[in-house]
Amino acid sequence: MNVVTSTRPTLGDSRLAARLRRETRGEVLFAAADRGRYATDASIYQVEPHGVLVPRSIEDVQAAMALCREDGIPVLPRGGGTSQCGQTVNRALVLDCTKYLRDVIEVDPAAQRARVQPGITLGALNDALKPHGLFFPVDPSTWQRCTIGGMAGNNSCGSKSIRYGLMADNVTAIDALLADGSRFTFADLPDNLGGDVPATTADLIQRLRALGAREAEEIAARFPNQLRRVGGYNIESLTPAARAEGRGNLARLLVGSEGTLAFSAALDLKLWPIKPRKALGICQFPTFRAAMAASQHLVTLDPEAVELVDRTMIDLGRSIPIYRATIDRMLKGEPDSLLIVEFHGHDDAPLLQALDRLEEMMADLGFPGAVVRATDAGFQAAIAEVREAGLNIMMSMKGDGKPVSFIEDCAVALPDLADYTEKLNDVFARHGTKGTWYAHASVGCLHVRPVLNMKDGEDVRKMRAIAEECFALVREYKGSHSGEHGDGIVRSEFNETMFGPRIARAFEAVKDAFDPAALMNPGRVVRAPRMDDRSLFRYAPGYAADPQVTPVLDWSEHPGPLGGLLGAVEMCNNNGTCRKFDANVMCPSWRATRDEQHLTRGRANTLRLALTGQLGAGALASDEVAAAMALCVSCKGCKRECPTGVDMARMKIEVLAARAKAHGISWRDRIVATLPRWARFASLLPPVANARDSIPGLAALSERVLGLAAERSLPRFAWGAFHDAELRAPDGRAGEVILLPDAFNRYFEPENLRAAIRVLRAAGYDPAVARPPRGARPLDEGRTLLAAGLVEKARAEARRTLEALSAFTSPVIGIEPSSLTTLRDEFLALLPGEPARALAARAFLLSEFLDREKAVLPLKPLEAEAHIHGHCHQKAFGAFTPAVALLRRIPGLKVTPIASSCCGMAGAFGYQAETLGASKAMAELALLPAVRAAAPGAFIVADGTSCRHQIADLAGREALHSVRLLERALT
């Protein structure tokens, strides 16, 4: 089998790594898996770096650049790694600025200016600016995770560029580290530089200005008159005319240079006042061309943005549960395309008038009644989430054929937009494919991705042919071939075609003036490789699955090798949504560590490399893959929140199973895995079972022998464990529901199950408990066995449970999220087929079921506050909102959802000595501060056993299951 293998570190790489460890304080990452994780961005390319430095300070960057200069090793500054064109992958030392170099250095509200470090994300910056009533307006869809340094390197734009311009228009100065070791702030400098400028820098600036004067006429003739031109270098800022008109700020030259000219140590930004109110009109069109033709008219209404959503995105978005309801609400009938027109302001009345004018214009264009108004903040936020996920929704197509980014963001004038897009669709058709369209109709910059298979040499040839024909069209319409996402590998080689040889030589002269030894991200913007050089591809020739891998779960929903497992892993396109920081779940280990290794994307890349032999033989069971999975808490947040549906919790089961098969499992893992079997005996004598935490020295001994953290208390076995005999067996009578007692509530908190029985009965239901088909051992869904990688044992438990429950059609009700959702998730992969699907369809958490059925509960007032934390699996399966809604039925109870991610306990994870620190860090991100801030008399509610234990251990507050609060309110 011919597979791509990881490049071994050279002697020079090893020497560089050793010197970096001695001479910087940064984190030095040179292992094969580390290099592999940084070999890709959101493009089609994979180029393994020499290694990675995560600098703690700018001084670390300076030291690293000096060492690389000595050894002739290139340097690649990197932000979030979300680039579409391959500009953040190279055979270089990668400088990952996102972990430590993310401070707001200074904010001057009066001057509306800020100075920031390069690794701060746009979202974090705007959070910091909000108290000042200001924001930074360049808003790419990746705003939650893209960095200001990366945005500057890329000359990012976003949906509001029609109003605020590009990154180059909003960066006023860059404190730059140059390749020769010098440091200088590039800004709006006078013609006479004076004696304060170092001689070498003064010489560089004079050479640049001379180039601008020499090439001014050629620049005027060759540069397209388009707002969205980010290809090449911004050498128009060097011309005498630009300087005379106040557009000669030298920072503009560094913006868009993709790290090829300098490293941005700090950036000065222009800020804008927040417009607090907005209104959206969603215009419906029967054809794509009609939407394109209308764009030039809609922009005359002076909107903030006009964004396209095409039919493909509508259909794909509807297939993703988290977006379905929003998209349905956006539609009137079944339109082919939508244009989302956005107005911002300070008062509602002018915005509503703007929507009136929009409706009038649509009627004048022949589309009366074709506007859906979005005036409430919740709907607007949901629309923004769909729109921001647009590129990634497109990538949710299963299979090897994917929408490929290579002509993605060409820009033409609005009057030409309909004709240009129609001709480009004709190009796609001639090559036997179609394109997916969306984004910035307001500025003629539409994201279009033809569907191609980058593993297929014929489709790679199609890609090049389509690129050449597309760029010929762009030249015909005097447009820009690179309108937002930069040059990178995919477009740099076409700069000469688009701008002409003289401008291409001018770009090279700029590069040589800044970086004569070509040490700053070489081969990007100038002197680039061919965009279709398959040796640079993620799916290079010889890429293939390791036939020695045998998946233990069903992955047939994904086509491709290894029963679909490799296809499932390849759904990660590196878009980096998992790097976001917000109130949802994904990705808690990334939030706690900010390490690429502990990120859904990092894990997916590690798995892809392992499954294709690029980390060596048997890598799925290797220490490298285990390390990447070590902090994955199987929260399932990615299953719901990842736009391309990467299900890392399920993938982790494959890793655990491979590792268990190759190495066996520890005594600790075996004890936890078999808890449902031995807990029924331990529950007979709770004082003995709980002795570990009551007899001095036993906790410390358990840490030494089993690795159970001594400072953690273990769950306490309760007197009076729940027994199946407390309820009758099912018989299918009217009103019957089948309660599924889980091991945790059965043996540790049986009062929760008994409360569930009382609540169900109060709601008019008749609960029963299914008996096991064989033997007296209670039913168990196998959750703990899966967590240890004992998949065949878990499958046997699942089969036993499925047999018992499939004999009836009554709803199955659980109260422990991790247990109940196993029936809706893992059972489908363990026992694929109609019986498992039928059970999944009728399995509900109690609050979810009662809310869904609109069950009537007799509730008395509770004058109190309740702060409710959602279990990760509740959120992943859309069951948290019903839990909140049910509690809000209690009269007098003020219910506040806690904006938190994972609690950090996650089954045994929080009890393990080696992951105790990570567990605490996850809890401290949001959950524990919120619990500590709650009033002493307030209820803390958490439906997860682990969550309740974490809150008790680390915040000293008792947390209740929501069913206990409902029980308390029963009349």
Side-chain angles (χ1 to χ4, degrees):
M1 179 183 60
N2 179 26
V3 298
V4 182
T5 55
S6 178
T7 305
R8 293 183 178 275
T10 65
L11 182 62
D13 292 343
S14 300
R15 183 173 63 247
L16 176 62
R19 292 191 68 186
L20 287 169
R21 291 188 177 99
R22 288 197 306 269
E23 299 180 35
T24 76
R25 297 186 303 113
E27 297 172 12
V28 180
L29 309 175
F30 273 63
D34 289 317
R35 289 180 286 118
R37 282 186 281 268
Y38 283 86
T40 51
D41 53 14
S43 71
I44 60 176
Y45 299 105
Q46 177 173 309
V47 183
E48 189 172 89
H50 289 276
V52 181
L53 176 70
V54 184
R56 293 179 184 271
S57 65
I58 296 300
E59 289 70 29
D60 283 345
V61 175
Q62 290 176 303
M65 291 177 67
L67 295 177
C68 288
R69 191 163 55 249
E70 288 180 25
D71 291 345
I73 293 176
V75 170
L76 169 59
R78 175 164 159 141
T82 60
S83 298
Q84 305 287 329
C85 301
Q87 54 265 64
T88 56
V89 295
N90 213 328
R91 186 72 177 146
L93 174 69
V94 172
L95 301 174
D96 181 351
C97 303
T98 61
K99 186 169 183 178
Y100 300 112
L101 302 183
R102 52 186 179 87
D103 289 341
V104 176
I105 300 169
E106 180 186 7
V107 177
D108 184 343
Q112 297 184 183
R113 295 285 187 272
R115 171 167 287 197
V116 302
Q117 289 186 310
I120 189 171
T121 64
L122 175 59
L125 172 61
N126 278 332
D127 283 346
L129 296 175
K130 193 172 184 178
H132 302 290
L134 299 170
F135 80 118
F136 188 66
V138 183
D139 64 337
S141 62
T142 54
W143 62 271
Q144 295 164 311
R145 65 263 193 204
C146 65
T147 66
I148 295 297
M151 291 168 62
N154 212 51
N155 197 7
S156 294
C157 308
S159 63
K160 299 181 182 65
S161 60
I162 190 174
R163 173 78 61 195
Y164 298 105
L166 283 59
M167 199 71 184
D169 302 306
N170 291 279
V171 177
T172 59
I174 294 179
D175 176 11
L177 305 180
L178 303 185
D180 63 3
S182 60
R183 184 170 182 173
F184 184 73
T185 297
F186 288 78
D188 193 0
L189 301 175
D191 288 345
N192 183 3
L193 296 175
D196 293 336
V197 179
T200 54
T201 305
D203 178 65
L204 169 64
I205 294 171
Q206 296 298 353
R207 288 170 62 191
L208 294 172
R209 287 176 171 173
L211 181 148
R214 184 176 67 247
E215 303 297 340
E217 289 187 12
E218 186 74 1
I219 291 169
R222 290 287 188 170
F223 275 36
N225 185 25
Q226 299 285 341
L227 172 65
R228 292 301 197 92
R229 185 203 62 75
V230 303
Y233 294 126
N234 292 323
I235 59 175
E236 76 278 12
S237 63
L238 301 174
T239 63
R243 287 160 56 200
E245 295 168 5
R247 296 182 292 106
N249 190 322
L250 286 173
R252 295 183 69 94
L253 184 62
L254 296 185
V255 173
S257 62
E258 301 186 352
T260 63
L261 302 182
F263 176 92
S264 298
L267 303 96
D268 289 6
L269 308 175
K270 181 181 179 181
L271 309 179
W272 295 77
I274 293 172
K275 295 178 181 177
R277 311 298 299 170
K278 63 182 175 181
L280 277 61
I282 307 163
C283 302
Q284 324 277 308
F285 294 91
T287 66
F288 177 74
R289 182 179 175 88
M292 296 299 92
S295 300
Q296 60 186 307
H297 304 292
L298 300 184
V299 297
T300 64
L301 297 175
D302 196 28
E304 207 85 358
V306 180
E307 298 287 292
L308 168 71
V309 175
D310 83 340
R311 187 73 223 179
T312 303
M313 184 172 163
I314 290 170
D315 291 339
L316 286 171
R318 274 176 158 172
S319 72
I320 300 172
I322 196 172
Y323 303 126
R324 184 181 302 127
T326 300
I327 292 177
D328 286 344
R329 192 175 171 188
M330 292 167 62
L331 304 180
K332 280 189 174 185
E334 292 295 333
D336 181 80
S337 297
L338 307 175
L339 288 178
I340 304 172
V341 184
E342 191 167 332
F343 300 97
H344 287 204
H346 294 274
D347 299 297
D348 287 335
L351 300 180
L352 296 176
Q353 291 169 6
L355 289 182
D356 291 341
R357 291 194 297 273
L358 176 64
E359 290 181 335
E360 292 170 4
M361 178 171 283
M362 285 290 290
D364 290 344
L365 293 172
F367 309 110
V371 178
V372 172
R373 291 184 174 223
T375 54
D376 68 272
F379 188 23
Q380 291 171 355
I383 292 169
E385 187 177 0
V386 169
R387 195 175 66 196
E388 288 156 6
L391 289 178
N392 303 313
I393 289 174
M394 298 297 190
M395 296 301 290
S396 67
M397 290 182 181
K398 292 182 173 68
D400 289 337
K402 291 282 197 300
V404 180
S405 174
F406 62 100
I407 54 169
E408 167 133 338
D409 49 326
C410 300
V412 299
L414 288 180
D416 298 324
L417 192 58
D419 289 341
Y420 163 73
T421 54
E422 186 169 68
K423 288 182 179 180
L424 192 53
N425 274 326
D426 291 342
V427 170
F428 300 154
R430 283 200 301 274
H431 291 282
T433 186
K434 63 179 181 178
T436 61
W437 297 86
Y438 103 112
H440 315 305
S442 57
V443 287
C445 178
L446 294 178
H447 296 320
V448 56
R449 293 186 173 196
V451 178
L452 297 167
N453 177 8
M454 290 295 95
K455 298 176 182 177
D456 185 325
E458 179 58 32
D459 271 18
V460 172
R461 286 188 286 275
K462 287 183 183 179
M463 177 179 73
R464 181 162 198 101
I466 290 170
E468 291 173 348
E469 292 178 49
C470 170
F471 295 153
L473 277 176
V474 172
R475 289 196 303 274
E476 176 186 336
Y477 288 107
K478 296 181 171 54
S480 167
H481 77 303
S482 183
E484 179 166 16
H485 291 155
D487 294 346
I489 300 173
V490 80
R491 273 197 289 260
S492 291
E493 71 158 299
F494 293 103
N495 280 335
E496 183 162 349
T497 302
M498 301 306 294
F499 293 107
R502 184 166 173 176
I503 293 296
R505 301 293 84 75
F507 289 161
E508 291 171 358
V510 170
K511 170 68 173 176
D512 294 342
F514 274 93
D515 181 26
L519 295 179
M520 299 298 296
N521 200 16
R524 311 297 178 260
V525 184
V526 300
R527 304 185 181 103
R530 285 176 60 91
M531 58 92 78
D532 53 341
D533 180 349
R534 295 188 69 195
S535 69
L536 304 176
F537 278 24
R538 190 182 307 185
Y539 307 130
Y543 178 92
D546 182 350
Q548 298 180 22
V549 174
T550 303
V552 295
L553 300 175
D554 179 72
W555 296 93
S556 58
E557 64 187 287
H558 296 274
L562 307 182
L565 172 59
L566 184 57
V569 171
E570 289 170 351
M571 289 301 293
C572 177
N573 68 345
N574 282 11
N575 67 75
T577 303
C578 40
R579 294 172 65 98
K580 63 190 175 69
F581 281 75
D582 60 13
N584 291 323
V585 179
M586 183 177 69
C587 172
S589 54
W590 156 253
R591 298 182 194 199
T593 66
R594 294 182 184 263
D595 291 337
E596 185 73 21
Q597 173 177 315
H598 300 304
L599 176 69
T600 304
R601 178 180 73 180
R603 294 182 181 111
N605 274 320
T606 307
L607 284 175
R608 182 177 54 79
L609 296 170
L611 293 173
T612 54
Q614 297 181 68
L615 294 180
L620 192 61
S622 67
D623 290 345
E624 291 84 356
V625 174
M629 291 293 177
L631 300 189
C632 174
V633 291
S634 298
C635 66
K636 302 190 184 183
C638 50
K639 179 182 179 70
R640 179 174 176 85
E641 296 172 33
C642 173
T644 57
V646 173
D647 188 349
M648 192 52 60
R650 186 176 290 186
M651 293 171 186
K652 183 178 180 179
I653 294 172
E654 293 284 356
V655 174
L656 293 171
R659 196 157 175 84
K661 181 179 179 180
H663 306 291
I665 65 171
S666 68
W667 272 106
R668 180 187 66 196
D669 289 347
R670 193 172 301 279
I671 290 169
V672 174
T674 57
L675 181 146
R677 296 194 176 206
W678 57 259
R680 61 188 177 129
F681 303 110
S683 68
L684 298 175
L685 286 173
V688 176
N690 298 329
R692 183 262 194 189
D693 291 339
S694 58
I695 298 177
L698 284 188
L701 180 63
S702 76
E703 181 166 332
R704 288 196 300 273
V705 175
L706 298 175
L708 292 170
E711 68 180 84
R712 281 285 197 193
S713 65
L714 297 181
R716 296 185 63 79
F717 286 89
W719 285 106
F722 182 87
H723 295 285
D724 290 351
E726 296 183 39
L727 285 177
R728 63 175 180 82
D731 57 16
R733 69 183 64 172
E736 179 178 87
V737 294
I738 301 174
L739 183 66
L740 186 68
D742 61 278
F744 310 105
N745 284 295
R746 181 187 288 273
Y747 300 116
F748 300 123
E749 298 180 88
E751 62 274 16
N752 293 336
L753 289 167
R754 294 178 180 122
I757 293 169
R758 286 191 283 273
V759 169
L760 286 168
R761 285 174 174 163
Y765 296 98
D766 190 352
V769 170
R771 277 29 177 196
R774 292 178 295 278
R777 183 163 53 85
L779 296 176
D780 172 48
E781 79 291 334
R783 174 84 257 158
T784 56
L785 293 163
L786 289 172
L790 301 178
V791 174
E792 289 311 313
K793 292 182 181 296
R795 201 186 318 272
E797 289 300 306
R799 185 174 290 112
R800 202 167 66 98
T801 300
L802 184 60
E803 287 177 13
L805 295 175
S806 294
F808 310 96
T809 59
S810 305
V812 176
I813 308 299
I815 65 169
E816 172 58 37
S818 64
S819 173
L820 187 282
T821 56
T822 303
L823 276 61
R824 285 160 59 169
D825 190 359
E826 285 82 2
F827 271 33
L828 301 176
L830 289 166
L831 301 169
E834 182 53 34
R837 287 194 297 271
L839 175 60
R842 60 188 178 92
F844 305 96
L845 286 166
L846 180 140
S847 55
E848 185 183 23
F849 174 73
L850 294 179
D851 183 70
R852 173 181 179 268
E853 296 297 314
K854 297 181 172 54
V856 177
L857 281 169
L859 298 172
K860 64 188 177 186
L862 283 181
E863 298 297 335
E865 294 181 5
H867 299 267
I868 179 170
H869 163 72
H871 187 282
C872 296
H873 296 182
Q874 269 182 305
K875 293 179 178 178
F877 287 86
F880 181 52
T881 298
V884 175
L886 200 62
L887 286 185
R888 283 180 171 160
R889 293 195 199 177
I890 300 175
L893 186 66
K894 180 183 178 183
V895 180
T896 303
I898 296 174
S900 55
S901 179
C902 182
C903 75
M905 185 59 89
F909 182 85
Y911 299 104
Q912 298 171 167
E914 69 272 21
T915 52
L916 175 63
S919 171
K920 290 181 174 181
M922 292 178 195
E924 291 290 356
L925 287 171
L927 174 59
L928 294 183
V931 170
R932 294 183 188 117
F939 292 109
I940 306 298
V941 180
D943 283 358
T945 297
S946 296
C947 309
R948 293 193 295 276
H949 203 127
Q950 183 81 309
I951 291 167
D953 255 16
L954 300 184
R957 295 284 295 266
E958 179 189 13
L960 297 175
H961 194 291
S962 61
V963 75
R964 296 277 304 284
L965 207 50
L966 289 168
E967 179 195 36
R968 188 173 299 199
L970 290 176
T971 57

